[in-house]
Amino acid sequence: MRRSAVVAASVLDQAASSLTNILVLVMAARISTTAGFAAFSMVYLTFTVLLGLNMSYVGQAVVLERGDRTALASACRSAAAFTGSASLAAGALLAAGGAAVGGRLGQTFLALGLVLPFVLLQDGLRYSFSALQQPHRALAADVLRLLCVVPALLLQPHHANPARLVAVWGLSAVPALLTGLLLLRPLVRGAPTQVRRYLRRGHLGMRFVVEFAVGNASSQLAVLGLGLFASPLAVGALRGATTLFGPLNVLFNSVNAFGPPVLGRLGGRRATARAAAVLGCVLAGVGFGWAAVLYALPDRVGHQLLGATWQSASALLPATGSQYAVMALGTCALVTLRVLSPRATLSLQVVFSLVSVALMLGCYPFGGVMGAAWGLAAGSALKAVAAWTRVVRLGPAAEPVTGGDAQRSTAPLS
C-alpha cells in the first residue's frame, strides 16, 4: 500500500476502535441503573488496564520489529499466540476471583474473565497488521466489531444486569476475532511461533509497560480504588464524564502515533518545539470548546446519551474539560520530548502520574467526586507545565532523533 493509504487506514482503524469503546459505555449507561453502570464501569476499567498492558508489552514491541518478511511474520504470529495464552490465564484468575467474591460485582468480574480472551486477542491483532503494513485488514475486523457490538447491546432489556452486558459485549467480539485470524493467517503461514521471546529478560515491552503503568494505569487503578474503598458511584460518574470526551482521546492517540515521525522531519529543535506548541494550543482550544458544547446540552439530550448517569457526570464537565485541555498541552510536550530527548519522558511520567493520583485521592475526602475530578485536572496541569519546562531547558544539542539513534533510544531495559 502507498504510505498515504497506510496512514489513512491506520487513523480510521484507531477511530473505529475508539468509537466502539465510546459507544459501549454510552449504551451501557443508557441501559443500566446508576448502580449497575457503576459496576459495569469498574469491570470495564479493569479491562482497559489489561488492554493497555497488552498493548505496551506486546503491541508496541511488535510494531518496532525490523527484518525480512519471515521475521515479521514470526513476530506477529508469536504475538498473537502470547496474547491468547496470557489472556486465558488472566481470564481464569478474574473468573475465579469473581466467583469467590459473589454478588453483582463478583458476577460481573466473572463474566469479564470468561470473555477476556476474545476481546483482548481481537484488539491485539491490530498491532500485527500494523507491523505487516496491512492496516486495512485491521480496519475491516474493527469495523465488523463495531457493527456487531452496537446491535447486540441495543437488544438488551432496560436495567439489564451488568454481568449480562459484559457477556454480550465480549461475545460480540467473536465474529471480528475470527475474521482477523482469517485475514492474518495467509500473512504468517509457515512462520515459526516463538512465545518464549516475550518471557526473556530485557524484552523491549518491559520499558513500555513501565511507562504505561505510571502514565495511565496508575490513575485508572486509583479511580478503581475509589469504587472499592469509597463509592462505586464515583467510578460511574468519573467514567461517564470521560466517556463524553472520547473524540479527544482519538485525537490524542493519533498525535502519539503519528506525531513523532512528522515532528522529526521539521528540521531542528526550535521548529519541532514551535510546531508542537501550536498543535497543543489548538487541541487545548478544541478541548475547552467540546466541554462547552457538552455543558450546554439540555438534560433531555444528556439523558439520551448516558441515561441515569448523566446527572452525576454532567456536574463534572468543567473539571473534566479542564483536564482534557491541559492534557492536550501535556501530550504535545511529551511527544516533543520523545523526538528530541527520548529518555526524558519516563521520569516525568513516574513523578507526575503519582502526583495526579495523590491529588485525586487527597481531594476526594474534601470535595467528593467533584474534588477527585479537580484533583485529576490539577495533576494533568502540573505534568504539562513540567514537560514544557523540560522542553524549554533542552540544550542546543537536542535535535530530532532519527535512524539508528531512534533505535538506540528504545533499547531494552537492562
Coordinates of all heavy atoms in Angstrom, one line a residue, residues 355-395:
V355 N 1.7 12.1 41.3 CA 1.2 13.4 41.8 C -0.3 13.5 41.5 O -1.1 13.9 42.4 CB 1.9 14.6 41.2 CG1 1.2 15.9 41.6 CG2 3.4 14.7 41.8
S356 N -0.7 13.1 40.3 CA -2.1 13.1 39.9 C -3.0 12.2 40.8 O -4.0 12.6 41.2 CB -2.3 12.8 38.4 OG -1.7 13.7 37.6
V357 N -2.4 11.0 41.0 CA -3.1 10.0 41.8 C -3.3 10.6 43.2 O -4.4 10.5 43.8 CB -2.4 8.7 41.8 CG1 -3.0 7.8 42.9 CG2 -2.5 8.0 40.4
A358 N -2.2 11.2 43.8 CA -2.3 11.7 45.1 C -3.3 12.8 45.2 O -4.0 12.9 46.2 CB -0.9 12.2 45.5
L359 N -3.3 13.7 44.2 CA -4.2 14.8 44.3 C -5.7 14.3 44.2 O -6.6 14.8 44.8 CB -3.9 15.8 43.1 CG -2.7 16.7 43.3 CD1 -2.4 17.4 42.0 CD2 -2.8 17.6 44.5
M360 N -5.9 13.3 43.3 CA -7.3 12.8 43.2 C -7.7 12.2 44.5 O -8.8 12.5 45.0 CB -7.3 11.8 42.1 CG -8.7 11.2 41.8 SD -8.8 9.8 40.8 CE -8.1 8.6 41.9
L361 N -6.9 11.3 45.1 CA -7.3 10.6 46.3 C -7.3 11.6 47.5 O -8.2 11.5 48.4 CB -6.3 9.5 46.6 CG -6.3 8.4 45.6 CD1 -5.2 7.3 46.0 CD2 -7.7 7.7 45.5
G362 N -6.4 12.6 47.5 CA -6.4 13.6 48.5 C -7.6 14.5 48.5 O -8.0 15.0 49.6
C363 N -8.0 14.9 47.3 CA -9.2 15.8 47.2 C -10.5 15.2 47.4 O -11.5 15.9 47.7 CB -9.1 16.5 45.8 SG -7.7 17.6 45.6
Y364 N -10.6 13.8 47.2 CA -11.9 13.2 47.4 C -12.5 13.3 48.8 O -13.7 13.6 48.9 CB -11.8 11.7 47.0 CG -13.1 10.9 47.1 CD1 -14.0 11.0 46.1 CD2 -13.4 10.2 48.2 CE1 -15.2 10.3 46.2 CE2 -14.6 9.5 48.4 CZ -15.5 9.6 47.3 OH -16.7 8.9 47.4
P365 N -11.7 13.2 49.9 CA -12.4 13.3 51.2 C -13.0 14.7 51.4 O -13.9 14.9 52.2 CB -11.2 13.0 52.1 CG -10.3 12.2 51.4 CD -10.3 12.8 50.0
F366 N -12.4 15.7 50.8 CA -12.9 17.1 51.0 C -14.0 17.5 50.0 O -14.9 18.3 50.4 CB -11.7 18.1 50.9 CG -10.6 17.8 51.8 CD1 -9.5 17.1 51.4 CD2 -10.7 18.2 53.2 CE1 -8.4 16.8 52.3 CE2 -9.6 17.9 54.1 CZ -8.5 17.2 53.6
G367 N -13.9 17.1 48.8 CA -14.9 17.5 47.8 C -15.6 16.4 47.1 O -16.3 16.7 46.1
G368 N -15.5 15.2 47.6 CA -16.2 14.1 47.0 C -15.7 13.8 45.6 O -14.6 14.1 45.2
V369 N -16.6 13.3 44.7 CA -16.2 13.0 43.3 C -15.8 14.3 42.6 O -14.9 14.3 41.7 CB -17.3 12.2 42.6 CG1 -18.6 13.1 42.4 CG2 -16.8 11.7 41.3
M370 N -16.4 15.4 42.9 CA -16.1 16.7 42.3 C -14.6 17.1 42.6 O -13.8 17.5 41.8 CB -17.0 17.8 42.7 CG -16.7 19.2 42.1 SD -17.0 19.3 40.3 CE -18.8 19.4 40.4
G371 N -14.3 16.9 43.9 CA -12.9 17.1 44.3 C -11.9 16.2 43.6 O -10.8 16.6 43.2
A372 N -12.3 14.9 43.5 CA -11.4 14.0 42.8 C -11.2 14.4 41.3 O -10.1 14.3 40.8 CB -12.0 12.6 42.8
A373 N -12.2 14.9 40.7 CA -12.1 15.3 39.3 C -11.2 16.5 39.1 O -10.3 16.6 38.2 CB -13.5 15.6 38.7
W374 N -11.3 17.5 40.0 CA -10.5 18.7 40.0 C -9.0 18.3 40.4 O -8.0 18.9 39.9 CB -11.0 19.8 40.9 CG -12.1 20.6 40.3 CD1 -13.4 20.6 40.7 CD2 -11.9 21.5 39.2 NE1 -14.1 21.5 39.8 CE2 -13.2 22.0 38.9 CE3 -10.9 21.8 38.3 CZ2 -13.5 22.9 37.9 CZ3 -11.1 22.7 37.3 CH2 -12.4 23.2 37.1
G375 N -8.9 17.3 41.3 CA -7.5 16.8 41.6 C -6.8 16.2 40.4 O -5.6 16.4 40.1
L376 N -7.6 15.4 39.6 CA -7.0 14.9 38.3 C -6.6 16.0 37.4 O -5.6 16.0 36.7 CB -8.0 14.0 37.6 CG -8.2 12.6 38.3 CD1 -9.4 11.8 37.6 CD2 -6.9 11.8 38.1
A377 N -7.5 17.0 37.3 CA -7.2 18.2 36.4 C -5.9 18.9 36.8 O -5.1 19.3 36.0 CB -8.4 19.1 36.4
A378 N -5.8 19.1 38.2 CA -4.6 19.8 38.7 C -3.3 19.0 38.4 O -2.3 19.5 38.0 CB -4.7 20.0 40.2
G379 N -3.4 17.6 38.6 CA -2.3 16.8 38.3 C -1.9 16.8 36.8 O -0.7 16.9 36.5
S380 N -2.8 16.8 35.9 CA -2.5 16.9 34.5 C -1.9 18.3 34.2 O -1.0 18.4 33.3 CB -3.8 16.7 33.7 OG -4.4 15.4 33.9
A381 N -2.4 19.3 34.8 CA -1.8 20.7 34.6 C -0.3 20.7 35.0 O 0.5 21.3 34.3 CB -2.6 21.7 35.3
L382 N 0.0 20.1 36.2 CA 1.3 20.1 36.7 C 2.2 19.3 35.8 O 3.4 19.7 35.5 CB 1.4 19.6 38.1 CG 0.8 20.4 39.2 CD1 0.7 19.7 40.5 CD2 1.5 21.7 39.3
K383 N 1.7 18.2 35.2 CA 2.5 17.4 34.3 C 2.8 18.2 33.0 O 4.0 18.1 32.5 CB 1.8 16.1 33.9 CG 2.6 15.2 33.0 CD 1.8 14.0 32.5 CE 1.6 13.0 33.6 NZ 1.0 11.7 33.1
A384 N 1.8 18.9 32.5 CA 2.0 19.7 31.3 C 3.1 20.8 31.5 O 4.0 21.0 30.7 CB 0.7 20.3 30.8
V385 N 3.0 21.5 32.7 CA 4.0 22.5 33.0 C 5.4 22.0 33.1 O 6.3 22.5 32.5 CB 3.6 23.2 34.3 CG1 4.7 24.2 34.8 CG2 2.3 24.0 34.1
A386 N 5.5 20.8 33.8 CA 6.8 20.2 33.9 C 7.4 19.7 32.6 O 8.6 19.9 32.3 CB 6.7 19.0 34.9
A387 N 6.5 19.2 31.7 CA 7.0 18.7 30.4 C 7.5 19.8 29.5 O 8.5 19.7 28.9 CB 5.9 17.9 29.7
W388 N 6.7 20.9 29.5 CA 7.1 22.0 28.6 C 8.3 22.7 29.2 O 9.2 23.3 28.5 CB 6.0 23.0 28.5 CG 5.0 22.6 27.4 CD1 3.7 22.2 27.5 CD2 5.3 22.5 26.0 NE1 3.2 21.9 26.3 CE2 4.2 22.1 25.3 CE3 6.5 22.8 25.2 CZ2 4.1 21.9 24.0 CZ3 6.4 22.6 23.8 CH2 5.2 22.2 23.2
T389 N 8.5 22.7 30.6 CA 9.7 23.3 31.2 C 10.9 22.5 30.7 O 12.0 23.0 30.4 CB 9.6 23.3 32.7 OG1 8.4 24.1 33.1 CG2 10.8 23.8 33.4
R390 N 10.8 21.2 30.7 CA 11.9 20.3 30.2 C 12.2 20.6 28.8 O 13.3 20.6 28.4 CB 11.5 18.8 30.4 CG 12.6 17.8 30.1 CD 13.7 17.8 31.1 NE 13.3 17.5 32.4 CZ 13.3 16.2 32.8 NH1 13.6 15.2 32.0 NH2 12.9 15.9 34.1
V391 N 11.2 20.8 27.9 CA 11.4 21.1 26.5 C 12.2 22.4 26.4 O 13.2 22.5 25.6 CB 10.1 21.2 25.8 CG1 10.3 21.7 24.3 CG2 9.4 19.8 25.7
V392 N 11.8 23.4 27.1 CA 12.4 24.7 27.1 C 13.9 24.6 27.5 O 14.8 25.3 26.9 CB 11.7 25.8 27.9 CG1 12.5 27.1 28.0 CG2 10.3 26.1 27.3
R393 N 14.2 23.8 28.5 CA 15.5 23.7 29.0 C 16.5 22.8 28.2 O 17.6 22.7 28.5 CB 15.5 23.2 30.5 CG 14.9 24.2 31.4 CD 14.8 23.6 32.8 NE 14.3 24.6 33.8 CZ 14.2 24.4 35.1 NH1 14.4 23.1 35.6 NH2 13.7 25.3 35.9
L394 N 15.9 22.2 27.2 CA 16.8 21.3 26.3 C 17.9 22.2 25.7 O 17.6 23.3 25.2 CB 16.0 20.6 25.2 CG 15.1 19.5 25.7 CD1 14.2 19.0 24.5 CD2 15.8 18.4 26.3
G395 N 19.1 21.7 25.7 CA 20.2 22.4 25.1 C 20.2 22.4 23.6 O 19.4 21.7 23.0

